[in-house]
């Protein structure tokens, strides 16, 4: 529903920096629990390294990313991910990622204050 043009106002509420309507939207939910941290980092890096996807004006990936530093080596930053135009540092917590159409990569659109989505405290 995020990608339908009738719901453009909903998209702008959830990801305000995304202004272009893209015909193909890919909504991804990554939670790094149970030692899956390294796998989710590879998945996001694979999306970023897909030049056909990142250069296409018709592809919009939206990513909910919940990282939790619970496994060895899981605190590495994601290669190619930007925050405010710079390489994004590691964050143990929740981020929304969206495509930066100018930089042709993924960027941090929003960071949430909660540490992990599993814990509602």
């Amino acid at each position: 529903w995020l990608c339908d043009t009738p719901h453009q106002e909903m998209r702008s509420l959830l990801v305000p920096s995304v202004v272009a309507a893209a015909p193909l939207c890919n909504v991804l939910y990554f939670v790094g629990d149970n030692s899956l941290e390294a796998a989710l980092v590879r998945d996001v890096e694979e999306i970023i390294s897909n030049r056909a996807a990142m250069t296409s004006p018709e592809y919009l990936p939206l990513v909910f990313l919940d990282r939790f530093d619970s496994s060895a080596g899981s605190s590495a930053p994601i290669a190619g991910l930007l925050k405010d135009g710079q390489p994004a540092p590691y964050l143990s917590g929740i981020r929304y990622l969206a495509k930066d159409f100018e930089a042709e990569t993924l960027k941090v659109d929003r960071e949430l204050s909660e540490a992990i989505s599993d814990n509602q405290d």
Side-chain angles (χ1 to χ4, degrees):
W1 58 268
L2 279 172
C3 303
D4 296 339
T5 51
H7 299 286
Q8 193 71 0
E9 67 282 355
M10 183 61 75
R11 181 197 308 228
S12 68
L13 289 173
L14 294 175
V15 186
S17 65
V18 176
V19 293
L24 177 61
C25 182
N26 190 214
V27 179
L28 305 159
Y29 177 79
F30 290 120
V31 178
D33 294 351
N34 303 316
S35 300
L36 296 175
E37 183 86 10
L40 77 81
V41 168
R42 282 192 308 271
D43 289 345
V44 175
E45 289 175 341
E46 184 177 337
I47 294 167
I48 292 171
S49 68
N50 184 329
R51 299 314 309 149
M54 290 294 104
T55 59
S56 173
E58 298 183 354
Y59 176 64
L60 174 64
L62 301 174
V63 180
F64 174 89
L65 179 66
D66 183 356
R67 294 188 71 182
F68 181 64
D69 188 8
S70 62
S71 60
S74 67
S75 60
I78 295 173
L81 179 64
L82 297 180
K83 180 179 178 186
D84 300 324
Q86 301 296 317
Y90 170 78
L91 173 76
S92 181
I94 299 170
R95 286 176 162 161
Y96 285 97
L97 311 180
K99 183 175 175 180
D100 183 327
F101 285 88
E102 290 181 19
E104 297 178 341
T105 191
L106 288 180
K107 67 178 179 180
V108 175
D109 186 74
R110 188 178 303 168
E111 292 178 346
L112 302 185
S113 59
E114 58 199 80
I116 58 172
S117 61
D118 295 0
N119 186 352
Q120 297 180 6
D121 294 333

